[in-house]
Each structure stands twice: as C-alpha cells, then as structure tokens.
Amino acid sequence: MIKFCGRVCCLSPINSCSSSKVVASPPMEKMLLKTLQAIFLFSLLYFAIPSFSYPLSTRGRWIIDEETGQRVKLSCVNWASHLEPMIAEGLDKQPLSKIVAQIVQNKFNCVRLTWPTFMFTREIFGSRTVTYSFDSLDLNEAKAGFAKNNPALLNMTVIQVYDAVVDELGAQGVMVLLDNHVSQPKWCCNNDDGNGFFGDTHFNPDEWVKGLVTVATHFKHKKQVVSISTRNEPHGARENENDWLKYIGIGARMIHRANPHVLVPVSGIKYSRDFSFLKEKPFLSNNLDNKLVYEAHWYKFSEEHSDIWDVQPLNRVCAESSLYMMDHSAFLTDGDNPVPLFLGEFGLNQQDLTDSERRYMSCIKAFIAERDFDWGLWALQGGYYLREGKTGTEETFGVLNGNWDQLRNPKFIESLHFLQGKIQDPFSNQSTSYVMYHPLSGNPVHVNGKNELYVTNSSVWSRWSHDGNGTPIRLMDSAQCLKVVGDGLEPILSTDCSTQQSAWSEVSHSKLQLAAKDVNGDLLCLDKKSPDSSQILTTKCICIEDDDSSCLDDPQSQWFKLIRTNIK
C-alpha cells in the first residue's frame, strides 16, 4: 500500500503513516524511486486525459464533441500497423505503455492507426499469432525484442494485439482513428502496388466493404475509436471519379450503418490530393448524420516536380502549392455547406532536414495555422520490423528514433506545439483578433514588459488588430501600433500610427511577409534574423518581386502571418 506522510511517500502494509523521519534501505530506495516515477507518469497521463467526451460529430467545417457541441481539434500522429507482420511497429523496442506515454507527453491527442483489409477478412491472416507472424517472415531479432518488451502480447493473434494497442491508447486518453491503409499487408504506395484502386489485384470492392463493416462492428463499443476511414490514398491506373463516387459512397454508408458513432473520413483521388470533381458531382448529400470528414495529404514529393522547392522562388512555390490545396481540397471547408477537412498525412525527413524540406514545412505550417485544420503527422514509428524486403529499416520521417526511446528531432516536434492547440473556436464568445505567427520556428510573437517583440513559445502570444493592407498593426487593448525604425533595427510600439512607418501590408505572392516603409521610403520586412535568437528586426524584403524568377534567396526568416484567433 502506498501512503503519503507529509512530504514522504511511504511503502507500508499498515493503514497509517508515522510522522517520524523514514530511513530507507537500498532496496527500499529503489522501490521508492520506481513508485515516484510511476506517480509522475500517472500524473502526466491523468492531466493529458481530454476534457471532452465521445463520440465526436461535425458542425459545418468543424469537428465537435457531440454531447457539449464544443470544438475538438485533432492533432494526431500516424502509427503504422499495416505492413507484412500486421503488428503495430515498435513493440520489439519498447513496452506498449511507454510508447503510448510518449505520444501523450508530446501533446498528440490522437493516433491514426493503420490496418490492412486482409487482417479482418481472411482468417489465414487474422488468426496468426505474433510468434507465427515473425517466424514466417524470419524476423527473429524482432521476435526476441517483442518477447522482452511485450511478453504478454507474444502469443496473441495479430488482431488481439491490434485491440491491445487501441485499448492502451484509450487508457491513456488518446483518441484513435482507424485507417484502412491497404488490402494486402505491405508498404504503401506506388501506382502498380495492386492496392491502389477498386478492381486492382488486391482491391476487391466486396471484400473491402466486408472489412470495413467487420472493423466498424468490432470496435463499436470502444469509445476511444472516434473515426474509421474508408481508404487511404486512392491511386493508380484504374482510378476515376465515377468509381470513387460509387464505391467510397458505399463504403462510407456501410461504416456508418455498422457504427453510427464514428466519424468517417474519405480520401480523395491522386493519393488523397484531389477532390475538385466534387465541385460538379454531389456526394453523400445526407452527410452521414454529421459524421462525414474529408481527408487530404500533402508532402513535398506530392508536387509534380518536387525539386521546385529548390530551384524556383520560394514565395511563388509556396503560393502555388497552397493554391493547389485550396482549389483541390480545402475549398470543401468554404461555401454554403462547409465540411471538415482533416490533413491526415504530412511530414518530412526529421533526421536529415534539407533546405527544401524546411521550406515545404514552413509553407504547410502557415497553411495549417491560417485555417486551423485538424491534422495527422506522418509518422510516430522510428522504424519497421520489415519494409519492402528489408528488416529493421529506420523511418527518418519518424517522431521517435530507431530505439523508440527519444525524439528523433526535438526542435521539429516543438515547432508543432502551437498547431496542436485550437487557434479558432467557432463557438467562443471571445472577440476576434490576430496572432502573429512565424512558421519557420513554429511560434507566435509576444510583446514583453519592455515593449519588445520576440518570438516566444507556443503557449503565450500577443493579440493584434489589423484592417488590411496599408493599415496599422495595433496591439490589442492599447493605443500602440507597430512601427518601423530602420534597416537592421528592432520595430517599436508607438502611438504614432498615421505615418507610412506604421502602414503594414502583405507584400509577396505567398502573403507571408509583412512590410512597412521607413522614413526614407524603403520597404522593410519583419525578420527573425537569427535561428538562435528570438529577436525580431526589420530588414530589406527578400524576393518579393514575384515576376523575378532569378531570385532564389530564402525569405523564410521574414515569413510572418497574421492569423485570426478568438482563443484567449
């Protein structure tokens, strides 16, 4: 029994604590240390439990708590469980509870957990034990690691292990989005993988529907399962709009019929990049009783020519890439009948970030922040049991390292913290203002007690007002506005808000540079010049002439975006 004696935690079989000093023997010290560690972990998990209830629903373009009507923002990480072993990756490296605890500690409130159709439709797949699955694939090292870290799961079937993962996520307050990733268990995706579209070698529509219904029914009473998707990234030579409308419509309705409590995300064609055909062709007019969610993906390599992030002006590339997303996916969140859009996959090489990947990520973070999308980062896994014939392959896009015990790139994960919280709340009574966001660092701007501007951590920011190009950027609840002083100098807060030095505009095609003119008429942009400093200066604007294709300088340090918020 654990008892608390003042400031001392005692292990005792008795029902009372002595007020005298406790002297622990070495074994007792170890027990106390383990107990304190357990209490600390419990407190982390307790306070991470979400303050909303299940199930979730939709209202307009937002996902909400069905009971309270309040917005719930999905800030997810993907966890692969769809490859040949059909076992959630990483259970050979760390105990299941520790992996889930790391998800919680890094502020992800949901997991997009992948699964293959055959695991639930073909007994020869779903009845395999962990031992058999590893043995059949000659994964002896993975089996030994699994036996060490998760021995209680070793003799379970792959479906039972999948259940155990879902249960542990729920126990630690993490929502689960079940994602039908492939049919045949294997790595996804390429155009000739046989899993891409209805009628492909491994993609029989009837078997696929059977799998969806089986999963929807199987998880019907697990409240942490808030979403079951129709299919990941439709693609390949067979893909066409009419078959998508037909079969995705059938799959979505069958999921909803079998489990009316879950959200039903549907992915567009072209690897979940394109819903533009829905502008002309209606789809599921009843909205599945407010359970329908659209899902888009966006990677640097999704572009037709992914090297454009290196060889073309960044302001133009970001603007055109963002416009593609708006025209082909994000338009669904606008108009008379808006619906939620879940950015279910995006990510980058966290181990060896290239300049082009940083540029892509700054652009996408600005896009997510401006519209406050729900999202899912690819991926949690630090590596794979088996991927494309190779054992023990590391996942450089992974949040966790190859041993699954540390973050692969802590600074990158920290740069997502602002996006993990709500920026907009359609049901808030707070007045609307702006937060000034710096996508490269992932952090907002705050004014300290000395009236100095700096890029801060994600939990604190100043609120601003702005009436459009050529108007002052005013600090809310004050008479002060932002004013340019000179090139290489810090901007100041001033009550002189009627001069050109206080008239701010978005000046580049990307609309990510904020500029005003100094006393000499020179246009200067806000600039976080140093990666190691939070200081904000104003400097000569970089590559704002969109017609100048020769300007390949990097303007990311100058990217600041005024984003609407009504979160206090």
Side-chain angles (χ1 to χ4, degrees), residues 157-171:
T157 67
V158 292
I159 291 178
Q160 289 171 334
V161 172
Y162 196 83
D163 278 333
V165 172
V166 170
D167 289 344
E168 184 63 31
L169 288 164

Side-chain angles (χ1 to χ4, degrees), residues 318-378:
C318 180
E320 292 178 353
S321 187
S322 299
L323 181 61
Y324 181 95
M325 286 298 296
M326 282 301 304
D327 285 348
H328 292 78
S329 297
F331 73 91
L332 291 162
T333 63
D334 294 333
D336 296 332
N337 296 295
V339 289
L341 181 71
F342 173 55
L343 191 60
E345 286 188 28
F346 71 100
L348 80 176
N349 185 335
Q350 296 182 43
Q351 186 162 295
D352 301 302
L353 267 73
T354 64
D355 288 341
S356 62
E357 285 174 319
R358 287 189 180 91
R359 293 164 183 163
Y360 146 81
M361 186 54 65
S362 290
C363 181
I364 196 173
K365 284 191 290 186
F367 188 87
I368 292 172
E370 183 178 14
R371 294 157 184 85
D372 200 14
F373 283 129
D374 303 273
W375 52 267
L377 179 69
W378 186 273

